[in-house]
Amino acid sequence: PVCNLMQWDRLQPLDGSQLLALDLMIFAEASWLNSSEDIMTAVKNGTLNTEIEHIELEFLAPVRQIARVVSWRLPDVKKRVVAIRGSSSANDWLFNLDVWGPAVFFILVRSALPFGS
């Protein structure tokens, strides 16, 4: 198993190929932009002069798509980053309401009415 090969008692030194939360934040923020040019400009500005500065836009879903997906390839560190945009339009919120509405309603009814718990 993989867990047997890992060392949990000490931190591994960073060699530049690991992506940290701040690196991923650049990609997540860029996924909210409209055009591929704006997205790549934001990502390249955020990764300039780093080990991950060579980035290729691999997939870009349409702006109006619910849960828009953007994917990048980082060939120098042999990784891919996928960002899924959150709710930004009325269609996104209607989709959320359709998916999560029944569960929220059930929780509210269950907390308000004793069903023999």
Side-chain angles (χ1 to χ4, degrees), residues 4-18:
N4 291 342
L5 302 175
M6 294 182 178
Q7 295 180 357
W8 300 97
D9 58 339
R10 65 181 172 86
L11 294 175
Q12 299 293 326
L14 298 178
D15 64 359
S17 67
Q18 292 89 350

Side-chain angles (χ1 to χ4, degrees), residues 61-83:
V63 174
R64 302 247 184 254
Q65 180 177 333
I66 295 173
R68 179 187 193 192
V69 175
V70 185
S71 172
W72 295 270
R73 200 168 143 284
L74 289 69
D76 291 346
V77 293
K78 297 181 179 143
K79 296 194 185 316
R80 281 189 166 81
V81 175
V82 177

Side-chain angles (χ1 to χ4, degrees), residues 4 11 13 15 23 26 31 39 42 48 50 55 58 63 79 81 89 92-93 99 103 105 108:
N4 291 342
L11 294 175
D15 64 359
D23 299 324
I26 294 166
S31 71
I39 289 172
L48 187 64
T50 66
I55 298 169
E58 190 171 52
V63 174
K79 296 194 185 316
V81 175
S89 68
D92 288 336
W93 287 106
V99 169
F105 179 71
L108 291 173

Side-chain angles (χ1 to χ4, degrees), residues 2-117:
V2 173
C3 292
N4 291 342
L5 302 175
M6 294 182 178
Q7 295 180 357
W8 300 97
D9 58 339
R10 65 181 172 86
L11 294 175
Q12 299 293 326
L14 298 178
D15 64 359
S17 67
Q18 292 89 350
L19 296 175
L20 305 175
L22 291 176
D23 299 324
L24 297 176
M25 187 179 72
I26 294 166
F27 294 97
E29 187 175 328
S31 71
W32 289 85
L33 300 174
N34 291 330
S35 70
S36 59
E37 294 82 19
D38 292 341
I39 289 172
M40 288 307 293
T41 299
V43 168
K44 288 185 179 196
N45 286 340
T47 60
L48 187 64
N49 296 325
T50 66
E51 291 85 355
I52 60 170
E53 75 175 317
H54 300 290
I55 298 169
E56 301 168 6
L57 184 62
E58 190 171 52
F59 177 77
L60 176 62
V63 174
R64 302 247 184 254
Q65 180 177 333
I66 295 173
R68 179 187 193 192
V69 175
V70 185
S71 172
W72 295 270
R73 200 168 143 284
L74 289 69
D76 291 346
V77 293
K78 297 181 179 143
K79 296 194 185 316
R80 281 189 166 81
V81 175
V82 177
I84 302 171
R85 185 192 63 202
S87 301
S88 66
S89 68
N91 286 339
D92 288 336
W93 287 106
L94 287 173
F95 178 77
N96 290 339
L97 184 63
D98 185 44
V99 169
W100 297 106
V104 171
F105 179 71
F106 176 75
I107 290 169
L108 291 173
V109 168
R110 183 143 183 173
S111 66
L113 301 173
F115 284 123
S117 49

